Amino acid sequence: MIPASFDYHRPSDLEGVLALLKEHGDDARVIAGGHSLIPMMKLRMAEVPQLIDLQAIESLKGYSVNGSHVKIGAMVTQHELINSDELAAVAPILRETSLQIADPQVRYMGTVGGNVANGDPGNDMPGLMQCLDATLHLIGPNGTREVAAREYYEAAYVTAREEDEVLTAISFEAPKGGYAYEKQKRKIGDYATAAAAVTIQKDGGKVASASIAMTNLSDTPVWSEAAGNALVGTTCDAGAIKVAVAAMLDDIDPTEDNRGPVAFKKHVAGIILTRAITRAWERA
Amino acid sequence: MKDFTDEQKERAANLKGLGSSRKRVEDARFTQGKGNYVDDIKLPGMLHGDFVRSPYAHARIKSIDTSKAMALEGVVAVLTAADLAPLNLHWMPTLAGDKQMVLADGKVLFQGQEVAFVVAKDRFIAADAVELVEVDYEELPVIVNPFEALQSDVVLREDIADKKEGAHGPRKHHNHIFTWEVGEEAATNDVIENAEVVATETVYYHRTHPCPLETCGSVASMDKVNGKLTVWGTFQAPHVVRTVASLLSGIEEHNIRVISPDIGGGFGNKVGVYPGYVCSIVASIVTGVPVKWIEDRMENLMSTAFARDYWMTGKIAATKEGKITGLHCHVTADHGAFDACADPTKFPAGFMNICTGSYDIPTAYLAVDGVYTNKAPGGVAYRCSFRVTEAVYFIERMIEVLAIELNMDAAELRRINFIKKEQFPYQSALGWEYDSGDYHTAWDKALKAVDYEGLRKEQAERVEAFKRGETRSLMGVGLTFFTEIVGAGPVKNCDILGMGMFDSCEIRIHPTGSAIARLGTISQGQGHATTFAQILASEIGLPADSITIEEGDTDTAPYGLGTYGSRSTPVAGAATALAGRKIRAKAQMIAAYLLEVHDDDVEWDIDRFVVKGAPERFKTMKEIAYAAYNQAIPGVEPGLEAVSYYDPPNMTYPFGAYICVMDIDVDTGVQTIRKFYALDDCGTRINPMIIEGQIHGGLTEALAVALGQEIAYDDMGNVKTGTFMDFFLPTAWEVPNYITDHTVTPSPHHPIGAKGVGESPHVGGVPCFSNAVNDAFRAFGLRHTHMPHDHWRIWQTANKLGLHD
């Protein structure tokens, strides 16, 4: 658990980050909260000769709420998400999800940007951001661009972000109606055995629209359009939920690990989604 | 104390002696980060060691090329077996009569095995150099299953392949280590064949790991000028380490000083001798400067001593009314690559023969077969006396299975089979003499405290509601009544590497009435500095706050066998009380002289000697201490010191009654502990607050083991649970609020009646949690399911019972 030697950089602005990335190419990586990268470096599974710390970059901190439009800087910590009454009022699912990420010590350091950008299928924020149809804001040598969270994840640790790009912020329209983030894990600090992010809008006693995303049940987060659609127009009764769960199960592709075999994970995914839908509907 | 006056009670309370919930004196430094652990020791010019470890579970080593590592700036040495062979240190003896490679000698036998030891100027260079050592391996077939090992042509231990006799008798196969038998085989088989009811079950107690917060490590410093070797290390038995180091190195024992500084938990993991200790010592001898070795968490989990890994097959016979008539137990014990179990020499399966439990079982037989596999060596007592947790888990599962067979309530089945109070001292069928107990009283108190009948009623209602589809949650009531066997042990049958398992205490009273006591044990969190001072306070009448307790430095402490197996209070605690009584005997003579009466005319009164019939005439211990050093007393040597070496006449047998109420989500396998009640009887209670802390800690480790903690291997011998991501270490979040309770049945042979408590909650807790899970599914036909009961295994149990259909 001793990392190989590396140079540490702490630029104070994004221009500095981009310059370092350009200078060092594949040898450089940015670090946010470090919960994924530092263990990988200690295990010597990640060789990072040039480590660029984003902690000193003010423009990546803070968030803004304009009506229902929410924009969160990449270096905002999960602790800050939980502590913000403003965010909790406009998008309470942020707090509900953040509270299920590890423990307070982790959340003091862990950032929303690091959680979203890295492409770790175990992270909770990617699924949430897909559920919310969030936009990811990237900056690179050719300027800024936007990528939909639903288009960002390609495989485990493989994303639409280029090596010389940095995630600067995440934005989304806060959903109206009901919401839930439901997660089963073995213990505090563990990744999900299965987790589901659900938002539901109700109109005239029926589901007007619904969005469903699942965490750690494939090598990427899975936004299941079919599962959400299955609820639309229904009263979210048991039969409708069953159809949604079946649609979701068609979209996920879990693998066996120490949390259990595939059959177990699929079964739990169905139970967790059922509970998430039920809770979101109650709140809709 | 009921006959004491208020004035006497106040004096007694001021001593903070036996029964006082005195705050732990250790915690001032621990809670402020001011402890002094092995890794805190930094010596001038100190070098750092790190291991090249095998990625394979079984492979031949064709070559080791250290040239690139040696070329790295800052690397001082790279040791391999070839370097240690001339010193005859490439192998070392284990505590179990086997031998173990210090560094891989021609082959590796488990993943994570030590292959080469890099010594460098700093820890980072050492880690870099490890990457540069090139080892050419030829993979060999891997065996991780002990039953397969006994059938396989693959020879794991080529060094002893043709040896038909091991340290514990004949070997049946090249991968077989020993067979250990206790009891009457023919008579037991007879009872079982003719029994009205027999319950049979195979119970696997999975491999796990003690996982202390502080990993293992050592700092060795060879002073070539004065010829003295000093070794600081994570040692639960520093004196044994000194003796072994002397025997191995040829350095005279007086020239070796072993120091156990603060130790961050042991739980058995720090009893044995590890290659890292040996390599740091050799490296210091070779280089002439201090060498530090500290393992990381993955190394600790992969390579240092594991616990359990017992396949236990039982047959339990009873009458139709439920009176147990016989017990047969066979164990296939997976010891890994080397037999490095930490047991008393004559007990290759520890005290597994306590497996008749708390029950009056007239006929019994136990056989244990030890087997080599391609797993890490070890087999230590993880927060239990030697293999006692295996024994208690076995019998407490067998009782539950028998209750199912008899269609009986498991609490009632226990009650009718308990050893009765008047049967103590009780001779068990497998050879132990239980010292004291009152099981029925404890059991009734426990059942009443949790409203046992109410729980069973609620459980039955829940089952009906489940069947009607009104709930997807089941309820389990876990019962356990355990008897521990601790305080090893009588020198006549307990030794480690030939050293009798006595222990010791040496006391010096200072002239102004304070004291220092040194013991042969070593605290790893148990709070010895607090509790041993309390024992002494009650014996010698000086306040516990005025008594320093010191352990762990072999140059100053009297010889002792260390701390494990809940032996400190039963053995060293007894030595402490008896040394205190020697002090008091001399103090009595001094007091009588000062009071100008005959020795027999004074009597002890809490903290002083008083003239019989004239309590206004007295001398306090403080006054006596001063006189002992400053007054010429005819016929009495100056000073006030004593030493006692205590060879216990018997083990002690703490016991307890535990009940767990658990809710199980059938659909997700998630268990929730609603209530956990723990009644412990550890005899005389020295410090109730520390006892409660011990119970909480032991139960939490029990919860871990029962509900998820394991060292798991894949078929290739790769460790699947080598980090805290997968090795379950519960946090406060996963732990319920424990209810603690007690009865007091003193040990009749211990000077203060104390029995030891640190390990009881683990021994009793594991079966209690496991029984709760099993019990939840009893109504649906489950007899037994193996631990660990993590979510997916519980889900699988429900699935196999058709509860998801």
Side-chain angles (χ1 to χ4, degrees):
Chain A
M1 299 295 279
I2 304 280
S5 79
F6 56 87
D7 288 334
Y8 175 79
H9 307 274
R10 196 183 173 97
S12 55
D13 53 34
L14 277 168
E15 290 69 33
V17 176
L18 295 174
L20 284 163
L21 282 172
K22 188 174 179 191
E23 182 186 347
H24 297 293
D26 288 351
D27 279 354
R29 279 193 69 178
V30 299
I31 184 166
H35 287 306
S36 298
L37 189 54
I38 290 176
M40 298 283 269
M41 290 171 68
K42 284 184 165 184
L43 291 166
R44 299 196 175 211
M45 291 164 77
E47 280 263 357
V48 186
Q50 306 293 331
L51 190 68
I52 307 169
D53 193 340
L54 301 179
Q55 294 286 350
I57 300 169
E58 286 303 319
S59 65
L60 298 179
K61 297 179 180 174
Y63 57 85
S64 63
V65 178
N66 290 313
S68 63
H69 188 74
V70 178
K71 189 169 185 182
I72 302 170
M75 289 300 286
V76 170
T77 66
Q78 288 130 20
H79 170 73
E80 289 171 292
L81 292 183
I82 292 166
N83 253 18
S84 166
D85 291 337
E86 190 182 10
L87 287 175
V90 67
I93 195 170
L94 279 176
R95 182 182 278 178
E96 181 159 305
T97 306
S98 300
L99 280 168
Q100 295 181 66
I101 297 173
D103 54 61
Q105 285 176 307
V106 167
R107 298 193 295 251
Y108 289 136
M109 288 301 290
T111 64
V112 63
N115 200 283
V116 164
N118 201 30
D120 185 335
N123 285 347
D124 292 284
M125 288 290 169
L128 172 65
M129 294 308 165
Q130 289 198 336
C131 175
L132 297 175
D133 197 14
T135 301
L136 311 189
H137 301 261
L138 303 171
I139 188 167
N142 303 321
T144 60
R145 68 182 179 115
E146 297 175 357
V147 180
R150 291 175 186 173
E151 307 290 327
Y152 182 76
Y153 301 96
E154 293 165 4
Y157 305 105
V158 181
T159 67
R161 186 181 60 85
E162 300 296 333
E163 292 288 318
D164 54 4
E165 288 183 310
V166 178
L167 176 74
T168 56
I170 298 137
S171 64
F172 57 87
E173 290 299 319
K176 304 252 180 311
Y179 66 91
Y181 193 81
E182 180 83 17
K183 180 179 181 180
Q184 179 169 335
K185 54 191 170 185
R186 294 172 297 180
K187 60 173 258 185
I188 286 294
D190 193 18
Y191 292 135
T193 301
V198 176
T199 58
I200 296 178
Q201 288 76 45
K202 188 173 175 179
D203 188 20
K206 291 191 172 169
V207 176
S209 62
S211 179
I212 291 171
M214 308 298 290
T215 293
N216 214 19
L217 292 160
S218 286
D219 66 346
T220 63
V222 173
W223 178 63
S224 179
E225 189 174 10
N229 287 343
L231 295 177
V232 175
T234 73
T235 55
C236 227
D237 55 313
I241 294 174
K242 235 177 189 171
V243 177
V245 164
M248 176 276 292
L249 290 174
D250 277 345
D251 286 342
I252 62 170
D253 184 20
T255 52
E256 177 168 343
D257 59 21
N258 286 332
R259 292 177 190 85
V262 171
F264 164 70
K265 287 190 170 184
K266 284 190 164 177
H267 190 262
V268 169
I271 299 292
I272 292 298
L273 178 56
T274 300
R275 290 176 185 175
I277 292 172
T278 304
R279 194 159 77 234
W281 178 245
E282 283 165 11
R283 289 166 168 170
Chain B
M1 282 188 21
K2 60 175 182 268
D3 296 333
F4 284 173
T5 64
D6 287 348
E7 183 270 337
Q8 283 176 309
K9 282 181 190 164
E10 194 185 331
R11 278 194 281 127
N14 286 340
L15 294 178
K16 298 185 190 170
L18 293 181
S20 163
S21 282
R22 176 183 189 225
K23 283 190 180 164
R24 285 163 41 106
V25 297
E26 297 92 337
D27 288 346
R29 67 178 191 277
F30 291 156
T31 54
Q32 295 180 68
K34 297 283 169 59
N36 185 39
Y37 298 91
V38 174
D39 202 24
D40 293 320
I41 290 162
K42 296 176 174 73
L43 302 175
M46 187 171 76
L47 302 173
H48 297 261
D50 194 2
F51 278 112
V52 176
R53 293 179 181 274
S54 172
Y56 299 109
H58 195 196
R60 201 163 305 288
I61 295 182
K62 294 166 77 179
S63 66
I64 302 176
D65 182 353
T66 62
S67 56
K68 283 184 188 157
M70 282 301 291
L72 185 69
E73 172 87 36
V75 173
V76 177
V78 182
L79 301 176
T80 65
D83 300 307
L84 299 184
L87 304 166
N88 203 26
L89 284 173
H90 54 322
W91 289 72
M92 63 179 179
T94 70
L95 297 179
D98 195 1
K99 57 178 184 162
Q100 168 179 357
M101 292 179 204
V102 174
L103 291 171
D105 184 18
K107 71 188 288 194
V108 289
L109 287 156
F110 64 95
Q111 188 184 50
Q113 186 177 337
E114 299 81 359
V115 174
F117 189 68
V118 172
V119 184
K121 286 187 173 160
D122 73 41
R123 183 68 187 82
F124 293 88
I125 296 171
D128 289 344
V130 163
E131 305 255 291
L132 297 173
V133 174
E134 291 172 352
V135 185
D136 190 7
Y137 296 97
E138 177 192 333
E139 287 184 68
L140 297 169
V142 172
I143 304 175
V144 291
N145 178 304
F147 299 101
E148 188 192 329
L150 290 176
Q151 304 296 325
S152 175
D153 293 336
V154 176
V155 179
L156 301 182
R157 289 290 300 277
E158 290 163 357
D159 58 300
I160 51 167
D162 54 354
K163 282 202 171 173
K164 304 288 179 214
E165 192 83 15
H168 308 288
R171 299 173 65 216
K172 293 189 274 203
H173 180 269
H174 53 251
N175 295 329
H176 180 253
I177 309 172
F178 63 83
T179 301
W180 187 57
E181 292 179 281
V182 192
E184 308 274 339
E185 184 178 17
T188 304
N189 287 338
D190 242 26
V191 168
I192 288 166
E193 272 167 35
N194 297 311
E196 291 175 357
V197 179
V198 178
T200 304
E201 192 55 71
T202 294
V203 176
Y204 178 46
Y205 199 147
H206 60 286
R207 177 177 279 236
T208 184
H209 193 281
C211 193
L213 282 186
E214 178 203 27
T215 59
C216 297
S218 56
V219 177
S221 178
M222 183 72 208
D223 185 330
K224 291 197 168 178
V225 175
N226 63 23
K228 290 223 178 230
L229 170 68
T230 306
V231 186
W232 292 262
T234 46
F235 308 133
Q236 288 182 238
H239 288 92
V240 179
V241 171
R242 184 185 71 191
T243 302
V244 172
S246 175
L247 293 172
L248 287 181
S249 67
I251 301 171
E252 278 199 81
E253 207 165 348
H254 75 102
N255 277 331
I256 301 176
R257 181 181 183 188
V258 174
I259 301 172
S260 295
D262 283 332
I263 296 184
F267 313 114
N269 185 239
K270 294 167 181 170
V271 172
V273 173
Y274 293 122
Y277 303 158
V278 177
C279 287
S280 67
I281 292 170
V282 172
S284 182
I285 292 171
V286 170
T287 61
V289 290
V291 176
K292 176 186 274 187
W293 165 72
I294 303 286
E295 66 182 2
D296 68 27
R297 180 62 58 192
M298 292 177 70
E299 292 177 299
N300 181 253
L301 288 173
M302 282 175 81
S303 69
T304 57
F306 75 94
R308 330 297 188 220
D309 218 345
Y310 259 32
W311 288 91
M312 305 179 280
T313 297
K315 288 179 217 156
I316 188 164
T319 65
K320 279 184 290 195
E321 292 73 34
K323 188 78 190 75
I324 300 169
T325 52
L327 177 72
H328 187 289
C329 177
H330 180 268
V331 180
T332 299
D334 186 341
H335 284 216
F338 307 99
D339 187 7
C341 285
D343 293 313
T345 305
K346 296 185 186 75
F347 296 87
F351 303 156
M352 182 63 201
N353 54 329
I354 194 76
C355 65
T356 51
S358 312
Y359 311 104
D360 183 13
I361 301 178
T363 311
Y365 170 73
L366 164 72
V368 181
D369 281 298
V371 183
Y372 291 122
T373 61
N374 289 123
K375 298 182 187 173
V380 294
Y382 169 8
R383 203 166 184 146
C384 68
S385 193
F386 314 100
R387 299 289 185 185
V388 175
T389 189
E390 287 91 328
V392 171
Y393 183 63
F394 167 76
I395 186 66
E396 289 302 294
R397 284 300 309 137
M398 291 309 296
I399 288 284
E400 294 282 318
V401 173
L402 179 61
I404 291 169
E405 198 73 39
L406 289 162
N407 195 26
M408 242 181 112
D409 176 77
E412 182 59 18
L413 178 60
R414 284 179 173 85
R415 187 202 311 275
I416 63 176
N417 285 289
F418 281 145
I419 300 162
K420 295 186 188 72
K421 188 180 175 183
E422 58 272 18
Q423 287 177 282
F424 292 94
Y426 172 83
Q427 199 68 41
S428 81
L430 293 179
W432 297 112
E433 187 184 293
Y434 292 33
D435 60 349
S436 64
D438 184 355
Y439 299 166
H440 288 91
T441 299
W443 196 229
D444 290 343
K445 188 175 182 184
L447 295 178
K448 194 173 168 210
V450 300
D451 181 22
Y452 179 68
E453 283 178 22
L455 288 173
R456 286 297 183 203
K457 195 160 161 270
E458 183 190 348
Q459 182 186 37
E461 284 164 5
R462 182 81 70 85
V463 168
E464 290 312 310
F466 184 89
K467 286 177 177 168
R468 290 194 301 268
E470 292 164 12
T471 179
R472 296 294 295 162
S473 165
L474 291 175
M475 176 179 159
V477 180
L479 304 177
T480 285
F481 197 100
F482 67 91
T483 298
E484 260 254 81
I485 169 171
V486 305
V491 172
K492 63 179 187 281
N493 60 2
C494 288
D495 71 272
I496 284 184
L497 291 177
M499 281 161 282
M501 295 179 74
F502 59 84
D503 227 291
S504 58
C505 175
E506 185 184 280
I507 305 170
R508 289 182 196 176
I509 310 293
H510 304 316
T512 51
S514 63
I516 183 166
R518 296 188 172 96
L519 295 92
T521 44
I522 174 69
S523 184
Q524 308 125 37
Q526 292 89 342
H528 289 178
T530 307
T531 49
F532 286 136
Q534 290 181 249
I535 294 175
L536 265 186
S538 288
E539 292 292 342
I540 65 175
L542 293 175
D545 291 345
S546 299
I547 301 168
T548 294
I549 300 291
E550 198 180 274
E551 301 173 305
D553 183 341
T554 58
D555 263 12
T556 58
Y559 204 99
L561 271 278
T563 293
Y564 42 85
S566 284
R567 67 184 298 280
S568 296
T569 293
V571 191
T576 304
L578 293 182
R581 287 172 197 179
K582 288 181 183 175
I583 296 277
R584 210 160 85 186
K586 184 170 178 181
Q588 181 167 3
M589 290 192 281
I590 297 169
Y593 174 81
L594 296 175
L595 291 163
E596 298 178 331
V597 295
H598 191 271
D599 289 358
D600 295 337
D601 292 334
V602 293
E603 63 186 358
W604 181 246
D605 174 29
I606 298 167
D607 59 353
R608 61 192 57 179
F609 280 99
V610 300
V611 176
K612 285 180 186 169
E616 71 284 359
R617 293 184 61 206
F618 62 84
K619 288 289 170 189
T620 65
M621 270 306 282
K622 214 172 151 74
E623 293 170 315
I624 294 165
Y626 197 76
Y629 287 91
N630 297 305
Q631 197 159 344
I633 301 169
V636 179
E637 281 181 17
L640 196 51
E641 298 186 3
V643 57
S644 177
Y645 278 73
Y646 186 74
D647 177 8
N650 189 5
M651 309 285 184
T652 61
Y653 298 77
F655 58 91
Y658 290 179
I659 298 169
C660 173
V661 185
M662 189 184 278
D663 293 308
I664 288 179
D665 182 337
V666 171
D667 291 322
T668 61
V670 173
Q671 10 59 14
T672 310
I673 296 147
R674 197 200 308 172
K675 178 182 264 188
F676 198 102
Y677 170 90
L679 179 149
D680 275 273
D681 191 321
C682 58
T684 302
R685 291 157 60 84
I686 299 167
N687 182 321
M689 182 195 70
I690 285 185
I691 290 173
E692 190 167 274
Q694 289 272 33
I695 306 293
H696 286 195
L699 287 176
T700 300
E701 284 180 317
L703 177 149
V705 170
L707 302 185
Q709 186 179 82
E710 63 175 328
I711 297 291
Y713 291 84
D714 68 13
D715 291 343
M716 298 299 291
N718 298 307
V719 180
K720 291 162 68 183
T721 51
T723 75
F724 283 159
M725 177 60 76
D726 289 306
F727 184 84
F728 176 43
L729 205 66
T731 68
W733 193 265
E734 286 83 24
V735 174
N737 186 28
Y738 302 116
I739 303 163
T740 56
D741 202 349
H742 64 277
T743 55
V744 177
T745 311
S747 169
H749 62 77
H750 187 276
I752 63 167
K755 288 186 169 186
V757 75
E759 303 173 329
S760 291
H762 195 70
V763 168
V766 172
C768 193
F769 288 111
S770 181
N771 283 347
V773 174
N774 278 280
D775 182 69
F777 295 104
R778 178 174 168 174
F780 298 91
L782 181 69
R783 276 171 67 92
H784 172 77
T785 179
H786 295 316
M787 294 189 292
H789 305 295
D790 53 7
H791 297 169
W792 84 262
R793 288 178 173 101
I794 291 178
W795 176 88
Q796 189 182 49
T797 297
N799 197 261
K800 282 183 181 166
L801 293 171
L803 302 182
H804 295 145
D805 301 339

